[in-house]
Amino acid sequence: MIIPVHSTDRSESLARRIRKHCVQMCHDAGTSHIGSNLSCCDLIAVLYSSILRYDPNQPQMADRDRFIMSKGHAAAVIYAVLAETGFIPEEKLREFCQNGSPIAGHVHSHGVPGIEFSTGSLGHGLPVGCGIALAARADKSNHRVFVLMSDGECDEGTTWEAALFAAQHRLGGLTAIIDTNSWQSYGSTADVLDLEPFADKWKAFRWDVTEVNGHDHQAIQKVLSRPVDPNGPPRVVIARTVKGKGIPHMEDQLVWHYRSPSDEDVRLAQSILEDPNS
Amino acid sequence: MRKAFIESLLAAAKADPRIWLLCGDLGFSVLDPFAAEFPERYINCGVAEQNMIGVAAGLAKEGKIPFVYSIANFSTLRCLEQIRNDVAYHDLPVRIVSVGAGFAYGAAGFTHFGIEEVAALRAFPNLLVVSPGDPIEAAASVTALARDRRPAYLRLGKGGETAVHPTPLELTLGHAIQVQDGDQATVLASGSLLATAVEAANDLAASGINVRVLSVPTIAPLDSNAIQKAAYETGNLVTVEEHTIGGLGSAVAELVATEGLPAKLKMVCIGKERTTPAGGHAFLRSEYGLTADQIVSAVRSLTQRQPV
């Protein structure tokens, strides 16, 4: 089993590599959502380099931590991190969105080791995470359950149904991480359905709330590695992020929810994301 | 059927600690015995059915066998996408239970008519659609579902349904049950109109028309062997259900069409019009043409027609 030891260098290097994969994959497949992928690369990199307990050689290991990518449109980043951590071969990334491939445009668990649950319709991850956390407690298992959501996803009523449920049952083993990049599909979250005061909403739902800069690896690692009380309140980490983070001309631009990276974007990304230590 | 359901579920839960029961804040007095006996495996999820299905999927993913209970549309149409994505696509052993199928809660009005959900659920991958015909079949369905690993929908009446079968039976999911034999037509019934189908068959027998009666407790997957046999041996098929288009009748029509069966078919079901907004169960069945007389007429119209 891999027992993660935190190293900011390692997670930042991983973040650079998965960003490169994301740009390449979205370019090759001609798909959308590069901005949504890039905003959560740092969160994913910290999770897979120092928080989650997993073994790529035993994807179904009983005491693995369960990670559900609820913002299923950010699929490239998950396949990328699975390739980087040895769950799937890197060549598999070239099948992204190709005919007949399980590496689908939204997160797909069937036939892809390391993915817990297929998502893509928003608002499904947190309820399922609640069920997994309940089962863990009933089975006296100490694995944790993480659900990564988008802020736009918090428009969905199911998010708040699950928020009530998790607090009612004090599912302390459950951690929701919200990639709060302030954009949703057709506008800014402030303009479409304003979620603020966001932290206060979760506090009112009786969750343990932390806000963090979602691109600061050390801060993310610190928040996510706090000791867990399995019967305490469920946790939510509101990670303030920038859509398109890491590729300057894509940052904080709604159009990169839709536009596919061009050949030039790929060249630029490869140069910007070059590992300074390599 | 509710009583048969909970008694059978209690027995199954005693034998199998993986069985849980979730409800959407409904089931007053019915579910109490389970809650009392297995408090650690019983959850009232509140009036939040979409979350409830997701929670059940999460439990099932971790090896539990959750039964999820609510009234008619609340455990089905209200959370249809959760059933589609979280349960059916992931092939998880969640048992979605609705009580008050058809017009059982008819006095409560249109919102409480459970008459369209089979059409939607039948289209989903992997999902069994189970609609027992009487309390005996309801009990046997729960026993069978407790042993099965496929996702499933269990459609129950409310209470007071007539027992058609004289004694408890073993039910094989996916198999029809022959209630009586006949050679001039086959009446296929699913759900609690089974008793009405038998009544119609007896009326027809009195006038010299011998009708086979098949109870079809599993609508998906359909027992194609039994239906093909009925088509070849009796030539005339009449489906009976307290549901609109898209249910048993449509499933049988699909089979007749795709297999090219030599059979004439009539569907006794609820039409698309919603003419009467509320009423008692028997009244609404009559208003929507779900009576023994209607079944008799349907059979007669086929047996009196010239063969195709």
Side-chain angles (χ1 to χ4, degrees):
Chain A
M1 190 204 314
I2 289 178
I3 299 173
V5 178
H6 181 63
S7 143
T8 301
D9 282 352
R10 201 175 69 178
S11 65
E12 287 183 347
S13 166
L14 178 61
R16 275 191 292 276
R17 292 198 302 279
I18 60 179
R19 277 196 167 91
K20 273 202 262 191
H21 286 308
C22 287
V23 174
Q24 186 74 54
M25 290 164 75
C26 290
H27 164 271
D28 293 353
T31 56
S32 307
H33 303 131
I34 183 61
S36 316
N37 279 287
L38 292 173
S39 72
C40 61
C41 281
D42 296 305
L43 295 165
I44 294 291
V46 173
L47 278 165
Y48 278 83
S49 58
S50 62
I51 303 293
L52 295 177
R53 187 167 44 179
Y54 60 84
D55 181 350
N57 298 312
Q58 302 177 72
Q60 293 298 313
M61 179 178 77
D63 62 349
R64 71 191 185 280
D65 290 332
R66 272 56 163 178
F67 173 69
I68 294 180
M69 185 66 166
S70 192
K71 50 172 284 186
H73 53 291
V77 62
I78 291 303
Y79 305 133
V81 82
L82 292 180
E84 285 291 337
T85 49
F87 282 93
I88 58 175
E90 196 174 320
E91 309 85 80
K92 199 84 180 161
L93 300 182
R94 289 200 282 274
E95 295 178 17
F96 182 51
C97 295
Q98 299 306 301
N99 292 340
S101 170
I103 311 290
H106 285 74
V107 170
H108 192 242
S109 59
H110 304 39
V112 188
I115 294 187
E116 292 286 346
F117 213 73
S118 296
T119 55
S121 174
L122 296 174
H124 285 244
L126 200 56
V128 173
C130 286
I132 295 172
L134 262 183
R137 183 157 66 198
D139 294 341
K140 298 184 170 49
S141 302
N142 69 353
H143 59 257
R144 295 180 67 182
V145 184
F146 294 88
V147 179
L148 180 63
M149 301 154 65
S150 67
D151 46 356
E153 184 167 5
C154 294
D155 290 2
E156 293 282 4
T158 46
T159 297
W160 302 103
E161 289 185 6
L164 286 171
F165 184 92
Q168 177 72 25
H169 294 278
R170 296 185 68 81
L171 298 177
L174 174 67
T175 299
I177 304 168
I178 307 179
D179 175 11
T180 311
N181 63 29
S182 303
W183 289 100
Q184 55 192 96
S185 175
Y186 209 175
S188 75
T189 51
D191 288 343
V192 179
L193 277 181
D194 198 349
L195 294 161
E196 298 297 345
F198 201 29
D200 288 345
K201 282 190 174 63
W202 287 95
K203 281 177 195 156
F205 276 71
R206 297 184 293 143
W207 283 57
D208 173 327
V209 185
T210 320
E211 292 195 70
V212 72
N213 174 346
H215 304 301
D216 179 339
H217 286 229
Q218 208 158 12
I220 298 165
Q221 198 276 338
K222 193 173 164 201
V223 164
L224 293 179
S225 58
R226 284 168 55 210
V228 167
D229 171 3
N231 297 309
R235 289 181 182 173
V236 58
V237 175
I238 298 173
R240 300 287 177 179
T241 58
V242 175
K243 196 175 181 88
K245 177 72 178 178
I247 311 295
H249 71 284
M250 295 182 184
E251 289 184 358
D252 211 25
Q253 301 289 322
L254 179 63
V255 69
W256 291 103
H257 193 83
Y258 300 99
R259 188 179 288 167
S260 298
S262 64
D263 294 348
E264 181 53 30
D265 292 326
V266 172
R267 275 194 292 276
L268 193 64
Q270 302 298 338
S271 117
I272 292 170
L273 296 167
E274 198 57 48
D275 194 326
N277 300 319
S278 66
Chain B
M1 282 196 196
R2 287 183 306 187
K3 190 164 170 286
F5 162 75
I6 198 68
E7 285 173 358
S8 192
L9 185 65
L10 273 170
K14 272 179 195 153
D16 188 343
R18 296 174 301 172
I19 291 175
W20 287 49
L21 176 60
L22 278 56
C23 79
D25 204 33
L26 287 168
F28 179 71
S29 80
V30 178
L31 306 184
D32 293 1
F34 192 103
E37 191 148 355
F38 305 109
E40 72 289 357
R41 289 192 264 152
Y42 166 78
I43 303 175
N44 180 349
C45 294
V47 194
E49 295 82 4
Q50 296 173 55
N51 177 64
M52 176 164 68
I53 298 295
V55 168
L59 286 166
K61 186 176 151 10
E62 299 298 318
K64 314 301 178 197
I65 304 174
F67 283 71
V68 180
Y69 179 101
S70 193
I71 284 180
N73 301 319
F74 309 152
S75 61
T76 54
L77 299 185
R78 179 64 187 236
C79 39
L80 202 57
E81 195 192 59
Q82 280 73 22
I83 298 173
R84 177 184 185 270
N85 293 6
D86 303 345
V87 176
Y89 187 60
H90 287 86
D91 204 11
L92 292 170
V94 174
R95 284 75 192 81
I96 296 140
V97 182
S98 75
V99 285
F103 297 123
Y105 286 100
F110 174 78
T111 55
H112 286 55
F113 293 177
I115 58 178
E116 296 110 354
E117 86 289 4
V118 171
L121 295 172
R122 200 166 66 79
F124 291 167
N126 305 318
L127 190 77
L128 294 166
V129 176
V130 183
S131 177
D134 75 346
I136 307 286
E137 289 187 14
S141 299
V142 174
T143 306
L145 288 171
R147 293 177 186 150
D148 200 271
R149 296 296 293 168
R150 290 170 285 183
Y153 168 52
L154 177 62
R155 185 178 202 247
L156 298 177
K158 190 173 75 172
E161 294 83 8
T162 308
V164 172
H165 302 287
T167 53
L169 50 80
E170 282 266 328
L171 183 145
T172 305
L173 295 167
H175 284 199
I177 302 167
Q178 185 168 304
V179 178
Q180 64 183 62
D181 203 4
D183 58 8
Q184 288 171 272
T186 301
V187 174
L188 305 107
S190 108
S192 61
L193 279 173
L194 177 63
T196 310
V198 172
E199 184 190 335
N202 291 338
D203 291 349
L204 288 160
S207 58
I209 300 174
N210 295 314
V211 170
R212 180 179 300 179
V213 177
L214 284 182
S215 176
V216 187
T218 313
I219 301 175
L222 198 62
D223 186 346
S224 56
N225 288 336
I227 294 166
Q228 293 198 43
K229 191 163 178 281
Y232 282 106
E233 292 177 359
T234 73
N236 300 305
L237 306 176
V238 173
T239 59
V240 178
E241 62 195 311
E242 202 162 324
H243 188 274
T244 189
I245 53 165
L248 173 69
S250 298
V252 172
E254 289 157 19
L255 186 73
V256 168
T258 55
E259 296 296 323
L261 298 180
K264 291 178 288 179
L265 171 66
K266 280 246 171 188
M267 293 161 58
V268 176
C269 68
I270 300 162
K272 290 269 280 180
E273 299 293 319
R274 301 288 178 265
T275 48
T276 310
H281 199 170
F283 169 78
L284 286 173
R285 280 183 171 180
S286 175
E287 285 287 296
Y288 285 93
L290 308 177
T291 60
D293 285 349
Q294 288 286 341
I295 301 168
V296 167
S297 297
V299 171
R300 283 187 187 283
S301 74
L302 293 180
T303 54
Q304 287 164 4
R305 273 163 52 181
Q306 295 301 308
V308 269

